[in-house]
């Protein structure tokens, strides 16, 4: 059906129509514009719609009806064109509706929360109580209107009492509605001072809450009194005395030890251990300690076994290497002596040396053994008192420590110790874990019965906790203030209202009832004195 042109107007060719910005095609603001043309609607109505859209921009807030709408259903977000064909234009059916979006956090610069199912249930309860409180307000207003009507029609004195009670009930209900509403938002959207207290004073409330906690819960006296009343020492001892608990603590300690040994780098620990051992050995004088030890060994006869071993080894060596001894003697003889004389002398020296070693081995009272005893006794005394001997021992010690082989042995000690500790920590039946378990149980049993030990342990714990709360009170309370400051104001208000709003609606109900009773009492007293 052709649409008649308006008189006095000329329809421009399609190619000559105005283009969109930057030379692109004109965006289709409303998809049902084509439906207007196809249905025979007049051009002025379509133009009027386009002008309205241009004035409103793309934030019309009507998603899903052909405008540029936010994908989430809210204006101002990421936009896409929704081209729903109208049924009047014979177009295709609109696409299936997207799944419902999850609960969106409240707009704001702070941290927002997602309402849980429990929060939604609380909000539903608040809405029910709001309905009841508002219904009660409407009820007293209706009663007031009927009472005033009855009073005007001469129904009797009772109408005045009812009207006074209903009027005061309305005042109380409105006043309490204003007070409750002013906590969370501005009543009726009016910028009344000292309203929307929670959204506007959120940071101050968080600061006050942090100061309150710091002054009343984190003070030294409060903490000490609370810890003392708990009886931590006795309870800890009774807990540790249980075998299962001791096993648990032992396992945790073993795991912590394994973790610490795994984190440490062997090269760093080896360097530290090597430096510590070397420095300790260099600074400590070992000669006096060696002298005392040697003197005690000689006095106890502990060196006799060493002498026996040396004599036995020397005898065995002489028996096995007799030719070597004879060759050494002959090789040291003068060149002008005959060979047979050298052999005779060598054989004689070998036999005498073998006889001497044999006698020394077999005779505990041999004079050579006594000479060894005297030598060791004198050497032990020199190590303790002789300055030159002690200095020579210290020089020898420094030379030994400076050798690379010794340093490698010292550094490798950590590897052996680490392997030993790891294997002991992993084995539940190792001597280390069994001793730790036994020590913990013994400590627990003693701690459960020894009051002095309990007082000492509780004193340590109280001192540590008091030090923390007195020196780091600001850091602890900042957890409260910073957390509250990071919350979104509007969402925080809704969250708090969901938790306490139901009880606050009872304040409105109570205000209505108390106001009505107070109005009735005042009206009765005024009537009595007025009569």
């Amino acid at each position: 059906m052709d649409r008649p042109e308006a008189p006095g107007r000329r329809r421009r060719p399609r190619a000559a129509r105005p283009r969109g910005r930057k030379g692109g095609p004109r965006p289709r603001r409303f998809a049902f514009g084509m439906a207007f043309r196809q249905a025979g609607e007049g051009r002025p109505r379509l133009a009027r719609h386009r002008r309205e859209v241009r004035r409103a921009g793309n934030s019309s807030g009507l998603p899903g009806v052909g405008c540029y709408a936010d994908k989430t259903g809210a204006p101002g977000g990421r936009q896409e064109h929704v081209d729903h064909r109208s049924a009047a234009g014979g177009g295709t059916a609109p696409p299936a509706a997207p799944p419902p979006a999850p609960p969106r956090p409240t707009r704001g610069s702070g941290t927002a929360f997602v309402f849980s199912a429990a929060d939604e249930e609380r909000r539903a309860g608040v809405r029910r109580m709001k309905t009841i409180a508002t219904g009660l307000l409407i009820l007293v207003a209706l009663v007031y209107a009927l009472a005033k009507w009855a009073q005007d029609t001469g129904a009797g004195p009772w109408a005045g009492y009812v009207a006074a009670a209903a009027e005061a009930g309305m005042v109380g209900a409105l006043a309490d509605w204003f007070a409750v509403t002013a906590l969370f938002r501005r009543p009726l959207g009016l910028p009344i001072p000292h309203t929307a207290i929670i959204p506007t004073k959120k940071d101050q409330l968080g600061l006050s809450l942090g100061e309150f906690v710091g002054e009343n819960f984190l003070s030294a006296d409060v903490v000490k009194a609370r810890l003392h009343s708990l009886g931590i020492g006795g309870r800890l001892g009774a807990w540790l005395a249980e075998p299962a608990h001791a096993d648990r603590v032992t396992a945790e300690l073993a795991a912590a030890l394994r973790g610490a040994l795994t984190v440490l780098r062997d090269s760093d620990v080896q360097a530290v251990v090597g430096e510590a051992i070397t420095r300790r050995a260099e600074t400590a004088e070992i000669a006096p300690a060696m002298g005392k030890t040697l003197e005690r060994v000689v006095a106890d006869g502990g060196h006799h076994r060493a002498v026996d071993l040396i004599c036995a080894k020397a005898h065995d060596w002489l028996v096995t290497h007799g030719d070597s001894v004879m060759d050494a003697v002959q090789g040291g003889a003068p060149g002008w002596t005959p060979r047979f004389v050298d052999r005779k002398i060598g054989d004689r020296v070998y036999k005498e040396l073998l006889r001497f070693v044999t006698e020394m081995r077999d005779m505990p009272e041999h004079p050579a053994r006594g000479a060894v005893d005297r030598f060791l006794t004198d050497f032990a005394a020199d190590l303790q008192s002789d300055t030159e001997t002690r200095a020579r021992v210290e020089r020898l010690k420094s030379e030994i420590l400076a050798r690379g082989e010794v340093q490698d042995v010292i550094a490798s000690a950590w590897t052996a110790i680490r392997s030993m500790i790891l294997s002991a920590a992993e084995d539940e039946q190792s001597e280390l874990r069994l001793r730790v378990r036994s020590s913990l149980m013994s400590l627990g049993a003693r701690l459960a019965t020894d009051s002095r030990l309990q007082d000492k342990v509780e004193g340590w714990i109280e001192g540590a906790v008091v030090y923390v709360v007195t020196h780091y009170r600001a850091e602890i309370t900042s957890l409260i203030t910073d957390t509250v400051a990071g919350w979104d104001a509007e969402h925080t208000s809704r969250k708090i209202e969901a938790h306490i709003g139901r009880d606050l609606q009872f304040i409105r109900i109570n205000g209505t009832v108390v106001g009505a009773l107070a109005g009735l009492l005042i009206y009765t007293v005024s009537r009595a004195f007025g009569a």
Side-chain angles (χ1 to χ4, degrees):
M1 178 178 179
D2 297 331
R3 184 183 60 210
E5 295 185 1
R9 296 183 64 178
R10 182 180 179 185
R11 185 174 182 180
R12 288 172 292 183
R14 189 177 187 88
R17 293 180 182 177
R19 309 290 289 176
R21 294 183 179 180
K22 298 184 180 180
R26 178 191 298 274
R28 294 174 60 188
R29 302 288 184 175
F30 283 87
F32 50 77
M34 183 62 69
F36 282 152
R37 296 191 187 96
Q38 294 178 355
E41 296 291 337
R43 186 179 182 89
R45 183 173 180 182
L46 177 59
R48 191 162 53 250
H49 276 283
R50 287 180 174 175
R51 285 195 299 269
E52 291 176 359
V53 172
R54 290 192 186 99
R55 284 196 300 267
N58 291 337
S59 60
S60 61
L62 299 173
V65 293
C67 63
Y68 281 83
D70 187 0
K71 282 188 176 181
T72 61
R78 188 163 60 96
Q79 296 177 341
E80 66 175 358
H81 184 70
V82 182
D83 191 6
H84 292 174
R85 302 284 184 179
S86 173
T92 59
R104 290 175 296 159
T106 309
R107 296 175 184 173
S109 58
T111 303
F113 309 94
V114 176
F115 281 108
S116 62
D119 291 332
E120 294 295 343
E121 185 177 355
R122 294 189 189 98
R123 294 183 70 184
V126 172
R127 287 192 293 269
R128 287 193 297 269
M129 292 306 302
K130 282 184 178 181
T131 303
I132 295 174
T134 304
L136 185 58
L137 172 60
I138 296 173
L139 177 62
V140 294
L142 182 59
V143 170
Y144 173 74
L146 293 176
K148 290 299 289 183
W149 174 79
Q151 188 178 14
D152 292 341
T153 58
W158 63 268
Y161 290 93
V162 175
E167 183 178 8
M170 286 192 300
V171 174
L174 290 173
D176 288 338
W177 166 82
F178 182 88
V180 171
T181 304
L183 288 175
F184 306 104
R185 60 188 63 85
R186 299 192 182 278
L188 302 178
L190 300 177
I192 303 174
H194 303 291
T195 57
I197 294 175
I198 292 178
T200 57
K201 301 292 184 179
K202 172 180 64 68
D203 296 344
Q204 290 85 340
L205 291 175
L207 182 60
S208 300
L209 179 60
E211 293 177 353
F212 176 80
V213 172
E215 294 174 359
N216 296 278
F217 294 92
L218 298 180
S219 62
D221 296 336
V222 173
V223 171
K224 290 180 66 175
R226 180 59 179 167
L227 291 176
H228 185 73
S229 65
L230 293 176
I232 297 177
R235 297 172 68 178
L236 178 61
W239 189 84
L240 280 177
E242 296 291 334
H245 298 161
D247 291 338
R248 178 180 177 184
V249 175
T250 303
E252 294 296 335
L253 291 176
L257 181 60
R258 291 196 302 269
L261 293 178
T262 304
V263 171
L264 294 175
R265 293 194 302 178
D266 290 344
S267 59
D268 296 338
V269 179
Q270 287 175 356
V272 173
V273 172
E275 183 182 359
I277 294 176
T278 303
R279 184 181 300 174
R280 177 65 178 174
E282 289 178 350
T283 55
E285 188 178 3
I286 63 173
M290 291 176 59
K292 291 181 180 179
T293 303
L294 181 59
E295 183 180 12
R296 190 177 298 111
V297 170
V298 173
D300 295 339
H303 66 293
H304 291 161
R305 293 185 178 180
V307 175
D308 293 341
L309 178 63
I310 293 173
C311 292
K313 290 295 183 181
H315 177 271
D316 296 341
W317 188 87
L318 287 175
V319 171
T320 306
H321 301 85
D323 296 339
S324 299
V325 175
M326 296 180 64
D327 291 341
V329 173
Q330 295 177 13
W336 49 268
T337 57
R339 291 287 183 182
F340 72 95
V341 174
D342 294 340
R343 285 195 297 273
K344 287 286 185 180
I345 295 175
D347 182 64
R348 182 68 178 176
V349 170
Y350 171 72
K351 290 180 178 179
E352 289 295 326
L353 184 60
L354 183 61
R355 180 184 62 81
F356 174 80
V357 172
T358 303
E359 292 177 353
M360 189 175 179
R361 182 195 64 181
D362 298 336
M363 298 173 58
E365 303 298 331
H366 194 275
R369 284 179 175 267
V372 171
D373 294 344
R374 290 189 298 273
F375 168 75
L376 293 177
T377 302
D378 295 339
F379 185 63
D382 291 341
L383 287 174
Q384 299 180 62
S385 58
D386 186 61
T387 305
E388 183 180 356
T389 303
R390 292 168 62 176
R392 293 176 65 182
V393 171
E394 291 300 317
R395 288 195 297 271
L396 178 62
K397 179 193 70 176
S398 299
E399 293 176 0
I400 293 175
L401 290 176
R403 295 186 64 86
E405 298 86 349
V406 177
Q407 291 296 322
D408 293 340
V409 171
I410 294 175
S412 62
W414 163 248
T415 304
I417 295 174
R418 179 178 180 275
S419 300
M420 179 183 65
I421 294 176
L422 283 177
S423 61
E426 292 175 356
D427 185 7
E428 295 183 357
Q429 301 299 323
S430 64
E431 187 68 20
L432 176 63
R433 293 188 62 163
L434 292 177
R435 286 186 176 273
V436 170
R437 178 180 180 274
S438 177
S439 300
L440 288 174
M441 294 180 62
S442 176
L443 175 62
R446 182 184 173 191
L447 189 58
T449 57
D450 191 347
S451 58
R452 294 182 59 185
L453 183 59
Q454 291 177 10
D455 295 338
K456 184 178 294 186
V457 171
E458 290 175 0
W460 292 339
I461 296 175
E462 291 175 6
V465 176
V466 168
Y467 177 84
V468 171
V469 299
T470 53
H471 288 77
Y472 301 98
R473 179 185 301 169
E475 287 77 4
I476 297 173
T477 56
S478 66
L479 176 65
I480 300 174
T481 56
D482 294 346
T483 302
V484 174
W487 288 347
D488 177 78
E490 183 181 353
H491 201 88
T492 302
S493 177
R494 294 184 180 180
K495 192 85 168 179
I496 296 175
E497 185 178 11
H499 282 265
I500 66 173
R502 189 172 183 273
D503 295 327
L504 293 178
Q505 299 308 313
F506 278 105
I507 295 178
R508 293 178 57 189
I509 296 174
N510 295 336
T512 304
V513 176
V514 172
L517 295 177
L520 179 60
L521 178 62
I522 293 172
Y523 183 80
T524 303
V525 172
S526 63
R527 292 279 296 181
F529 282 98

